[in-house]
Amino acid sequence: KALNLSYFKEEDRSFVVARGMSIVFTIMLIAVLVVALVLPVFGQQIGTFAFSYLGLEAGFLKLFNSLRWIITPILIFVVFSLIYWLVPNIKIQFKSVFFGAAFSTIGWIITSVGFSYYVSSYGNYSSTYGSIGAIIVLMMWLYFSGIILMLGGQINAVMSERREAILEKNRSSAPD
């Protein structure tokens, strides 16, 4: 709904299509979050298991250990690009969503790392709120993630609107 509001469009797709897209992209975001949390922490163990099972050399394991830090941002960027391209009820060129997706990817990573540092260093939620402190921290992180995701969509919408205004200006000033 927020992405449609960014483009000033009403939802005219059927309920089933709109909810189906919501469910698919929610599952994709959950998968990205799981991969984003699992690869940095357990990536070496996963690589060791996979490469020993497949019988590959140690050089592949070194390459995988280097690439596992790059796979997560690329995966996040791809999912954000798909969200910004397919979710709004408007035809958008795929290349026009890259800036917002890049902003959201970088912003989400920086916000997550910064929030993690804050919670581990300064935020003492468990002593203040008890066992529900972890849920409060999770809800705050999800809120920040949602803001970053919507900001990227808004950036794409503003850039699209400006592109259309420039095209319209060029059309009106061109001789017939």
Side-chain angles (χ1 to χ4, degrees):
K1 289 180 182 181
L3 289 174
N4 283 336
L5 286 174
S6 295
Y7 288 99
F8 303 107
K9 297 293 180 184
E10 292 288 325
E11 183 65 58
D12 61 1
R13 296 175 285 201
S14 72
F15 177 80
V16 173
V17 170
R19 292 299 165 237
M21 287 179 58
S22 297
I23 291 169
V24 167
F25 282 108
T26 300
I27 291 170
M28 286 176 70
L29 281 173
I30 291 170
V32 164
L33 293 178
V34 168
V35 169
L37 296 173
V38 168
L39 270 183
V41 176
F42 298 110
Q44 186 163 358
Q45 291 84 0
I46 292 169
T48 303
F49 174 75
F51 289 115
S52 67
Y53 181 75
L54 296 173
L56 297 174
E57 298 176 14
F60 286 109
L61 182 60
K62 288 181 182 178
L63 178 66
F64 176 75
N65 283 333
S66 299
L67 289 178
R68 71 185 168 118
W69 297 101
I70 299 170
I71 292 171
T72 301
I74 290 172
L75 187 62
I76 293 169
F77 177 79
V78 168
V79 169
F80 284 174
S81 296
L82 288 173
I83 288 172
Y84 294 142
W85 181 46
L86 297 174
V87 170
N89 190 22
I90 187 173
K91 295 288 183 189
I92 303 170
Q93 291 182 352
F94 188 67
K95 65 180 181 178
S96 69
V97 300
F98 288 147
F99 188 73
F103 171 84
S104 294
T105 301
I106 294 167
W108 185 77
I109 291 170
I110 290 171
T111 302
S112 296
V113 169
F115 188 63
S116 171
Y117 176 75
Y118 166 75
V119 168
S120 64
S121 300
Y122 302 108
N124 201 357
Y125 292 95
S126 61
S127 66
T128 305
Y129 298 107
S131 60
I132 200 164
I135 294 175
I136 292 171
V137 168
L138 175 66
M139 295 301 289
M140 288 173 50
W141 178 74
L142 289 172
Y143 180 73
F144 294 145
S145 297
I147 289 173
I148 294 292
L149 192 63
M150 291 304 107
L151 279 173
Q154 189 65 39
I155 287 170
N156 285 336
V158 168
M159 290 179 67
S160 174
E161 186 176 320
R162 288 188 178 177
R163 240 185 330 271
E164 289 296 322
I166 290 171
L167 288 174
E168 185 63 33
K169 181 180 175 186
N170 289 341
R171 280 187 216 128
S172 64
S173 66
D176 289 328

